[in-house]
Amino acid sequence: MRKRRKRLRIDRIFICLLILVGLVCLIRFSIYTIFGFKILGEAKKGNTIKLYHDNANIWKKTVKYINENMDEVNIKYKNYTITMDSSYFKRNMNIKPSVENKKITSGDFYKQKGLYINNNNVINVSSKIKFKLPRYIYKNGYVDLYGVSNEGSYELLESRKKVDKYYTLNIYDNYKEYYITYVKLEDIKTTQQYVLDEGEIKEIRLEFSPTNATNKKVSYSGYDKSIISIEHGVITALKEGKTTIKIKGDDMTTARIKIVVNKKKEEKKEEKKEPEKPKVTKGDDGIYYIDGIMIVNKSYPLPSSYDPGKLLPEFMSAFNEMLGDATSDGIKLWIQSGYRSYDYQVGLYDKYVKQDGKDKADTYSARPGYSEHQSGLAADINNPSSSFNGTKEAIWLKENCYKYGFIIRFPEGEENYTGYKYESWHIRYVGKVLAKKIHDAGDISLEHYYNIESKYSN
Ligand SMILES: [Zn+2]
């Protein structure tokens, strides 16, 4: 009896020892993960460690990076493993991106405090990095993400992104550093009163200070819904009356607009005739307009001297507003090609004519002076190629861009009006009022809407 009990105790000790050894082994040889790489073995000083990744594309990029930048690292091409001395690994590569609070030293955001992420020494192969944000940033709820390109320019990559304690940074190909910033909205200014006629459509103009505030999303409330309706910051006057719109911004900043809607004057039946064709007028600057909207197509070119040099501010602020909502919907948008100078278009068009002949080139590329890209009010989004058609980004853009004042400039089925084949990626800023009218008319082309031509004269 006693003997049996003793043996049992020895068995137990033996099992406990086994579990202990097992646990130690598990800890010692656990597989660490860094940016999607599995580190096989321990990353102790002087050890040789192996990195493993099973994505062939990431692997190819990594091999290229290491070949170009790290002489001492020994790469085994087989089995997707890299062998390197872990002390080298620690000394020469930041395993984690350096994340620090730092003031931005150039660009439009000079001296703005932001969270700085240096991506220089990280093997930039994984598409995502996750890290903790400092409280002063995440408590605000929203951030902007700027990327610093290899040429040193600051570009807004994600606008008004909702954040929590942890931030997942999407690694973009062409940026060496990132800034996550938050600028608190302090004030909203607006015109105090709008006087409208029944049926009139008007965009609510707001001035935000500071102008680079992160969260410019506002809500409209308090108004009489039988007198006006509001959709994406655009008022439609429904019937005669007075009401007040209460505008609420980030952190309860508020403004008010008084609205007076006047009854539309009764028109005599005899006077009713076909609505007059809007007229294209040529300004002193040599630019063609209809109702203040710049017209650029095969019939109405821009003068070679017209050179805004970049996308105009009204385009950019509308685009940034759109970027914020797209980001919230999980849609990634960026400007692939914005402003293009007259001289640039000379080179581009010549290239296409040499490649495909003049007739074919005219269906997809504009002649110099005839490109909307010269206006500073048009841009190609994400991927200017027919492979963009039907993607979730293209669908989102088509369904939502009018809310921000954009139109798809060369819609499907409108080739006879525009003179260009369908381009799901080319957007034009026309302002919220006209964009809404064109959307309500069935997302037709600008030429179709205004009943104007787009044909080369020769
Ligand atoms: Zn374009």
Side-chain angles (χ1 to χ4, degrees):
M1 206 50 186
R2 231 179 214 188
K3 230 179 183 177
R4 235 183 108 196
R5 201 176 263 179
K6 204 175 183 180
R7 193 181 291 156
L8 222 139
R9 200 177 291 154
I10 291 167
D11 284 353
R12 274 185 193 165
I13 291 167
F14 185 69
I15 288 164
C16 285
L17 264 172
L18 257 178
I19 291 171
L20 203 71
V21 168
L23 273 173
V24 168
C25 286
L26 203 70
I27 293 163
R28 265 184 75 89
F29 302 110
S30 58
I31 294 166
Y32 301 92
T33 303
I34 296 173
F35 300 148
F37 274 92
K38 283 172 183 160
I39 296 185
L40 309 172
E42 277 185 293
K44 259 189 183 172
K45 197 177 174 182
N47 277 4
T48 294
I49 60 162
K50 283 179 182 175
L51 297 181
Y52 171 83
H53 204 295
D54 57 7
N55 180 307
N57 269 332
I58 291 177
W59 177 250
K60 250 163 76 180
K61 271 172 121 176
T62 312
V63 168
K64 188 167 172 274
Y65 182 93
I66 290 174
N67 279 335
E68 284 169 3
N69 298 287
M70 300 173 187
D71 298 335
E72 301 165 44
V73 174
N74 165 27
I75 304 172
K76 283 185 183 160
Y77 289 91
K78 278 178 190 171
N79 305 325
Y80 290 5
T81 55
I82 306 166
T83 310
M84 65 174 84
D85 186 306
S86 64
S87 63
Y88 180 90
F89 191 96
K90 278 187 178 165
R91 200 176 65 242
N92 292 294
M93 292 160 57
N94 291 326
I95 295 178
K96 284 179 184 168
S98 101
V99 177
E100 55 183 298
N101 295 324
K102 196 171 147 181
K103 280 179 181 170
I104 299 176
T105 51
S106 65
D108 291 344
F109 316 100
Y110 186 67
K111 285 186 175 169
Q112 187 175 308
K113 199 173 171 193
L115 191 66
Y116 167 77
I117 300 128
N118 184 341
N119 203 32
N120 278 341
N121 298 317
V122 176
I123 296 187
N124 186 5
V125 287
S126 176
S127 59
K128 278 176 184 164
I129 297 174
K130 192 177 173 183
F131 51 87
K132 205 171 166 183
L133 287 173
R135 203 183 116 75
Y136 84 91
I137 286 188
Y138 77 74
K139 74 168 190 213
N140 289 299
Y142 294 88
V143 297
D144 282 340
L145 172 72
Y146 291 94
V148 184
S149 72
N150 294 323
E151 294 79 39
S153 66
Y154 287 71
E155 285 164 38
L156 182 60
L157 300 176
E158 286 170 14
S159 171
R160 194 169 29 84
K161 182 175 171 165
K162 194 150 178 48
V163 286
D164 218 316
K165 238 179 189 172
Y166 289 92
Y167 189 87
T168 303
L169 176 69
N170 292 310
I171 300 292
Y172 294 76
D173 274 345
N174 304 318
Y175 303 97
K176 55 176 182 176
E177 293 164 22
Y178 297 91
Y179 286 93
I180 292 172
T181 68
Y182 182 83
V183 179
K184 198 170 151 54
L185 178 66
E186 276 157 16
D187 196 17
I188 301 173
K189 280 199 179 71
T190 179
T191 316
Q192 296 198 329
Q193 182 174 293
Y194 288 151
V195 180
L196 307 169
D197 286 333
E198 273 177 0
E200 196 178 337
I201 297 174
K202 192 173 179 68
E203 181 179 352
I204 300 172
R205 298 270 179 197
L206 300 173
E207 263 179 59
F208 296 92
S209 66
T211 52
N212 61 347
T214 307
N215 188 15
K216 291 181 188 167
K217 202 170 176 99
V218 296
S219 65
Y220 303 99
S221 61
Y223 57 92
D224 187 330
K225 290 190 172 71
S226 70
I227 296 173
I228 56 166
S229 70
I230 304 177
E231 198 193 356
H232 316 295
V234 176
I235 306 171
T236 305
L238 301 172
K239 67 162 202 200
E240 186 183 17
K242 286 178 185 175
T243 188
T244 300
I245 306 169
K246 199 175 161 198
I247 300 158
K248 206 150 105 187
D250 190 18
D251 227 1
M252 308 297 277
T253 313
T254 51
R256 277 164 205 275
I257 306 174
K258 280 182 190 162
I259 302 290
V260 179
V261 178
N262 292 323
K263 200 162 183 63
K264 207 172 187 179
K265 283 165 198 153
E266 288 286 330
E267 283 172 33
K268 285 176 189 167
K269 274 193 176 172
E270 303 98 272
E271 279 178 30
K272 261 195 176 174
K273 46 187 174 182
E274 281 287 294
E276 238 181 90
K277 244 191 188 182
K279 286 199 176 68
V280 182
T281 55
K282 193 174 185 177
D284 294 338
D285 46 12
I287 299 170
Y288 295 97
Y289 294 95
I290 294 181
D291 297 340
I293 300 291
M294 191 190 284
I295 304 292
V296 185
N297 67 18
K298 291 180 177 181
S299 296
Y300 304 102
L302 285 168
S304 59
S305 58
Y306 176 77
D307 181 15
K310 59 177 182 194
L311 284 168
L312 293 169
E314 54 263 45
F315 182 105
M316 281 317 298
S317 70
F319 184 78
N320 291 340
E321 189 191 347
M322 180 163 78
L323 198 60
D325 287 347
T327 305
S328 313
D329 288 351
I331 297 290
K332 219 157 128 182
L333 300 178
W334 65 91
I335 295 166
Q336 182 61 35
S337 175
Y339 167 73
R340 300 206 290 250
S341 72
Y342 184 91
D343 291 342
Y344 179 88
Q345 199 68 24
V346 169
L348 197 68
Y349 181 73
D350 282 355
K351 189 186 104 181
Y352 290 139
V353 169
K354 273 181 195 142
Q355 193 179 293
D356 287 334
K358 201 174 178 191
D359 286 349
K360 186 157 185 219
D362 279 341
T363 66
Y364 64 86
S365 177
R367 295 180 188 174
Y370 295 83
S371 168
E372 226 179 24
H373 284 274
Q374 192 189 330
S375 70
L377 291 168
D380 295 337
I381 303 305
N382 291 23
N383 171 19
S385 107
S386 55
S387 62
F388 183 61
N389 299 351
T391 60
K392 68 176 200 291
E393 290 79 12
I395 292 164
W396 191 95
L397 198 63
K398 185 173 185 273
E399 286 174 355
N400 295 285
C401 73
Y402 80 95
K403 298 172 187 170
Y404 312 93
F406 296 105
I407 56 169
I408 303 291
R409 185 64 182 81
F410 309 115
E412 205 167 6
E414 295 282 293
E415 292 82 355
N416 289 337
Y417 292 97
T418 62
Y420 289 102
K421 64 181 177 65
Y422 175 43
E423 292 193 1
S424 55
W425 57 89
H426 182 112
I427 57 168
R428 159 74 198 267
Y429 179 76
V430 294
K432 285 182 181 178
V433 171
L434 181 58
K436 180 180 160 50
K437 287 178 180 171
I438 288 175
H439 174 74
D440 291 347
D443 286 321
I444 55 176
S445 64
L446 200 61
E447 285 79 9
H448 191 166
Y449 183 79
Y450 277 137
N451 195 12
I452 55 169
E453 288 210 311
S454 177
K455 284 191 178 99
Y456 288 131
S457 54
N458 59 350

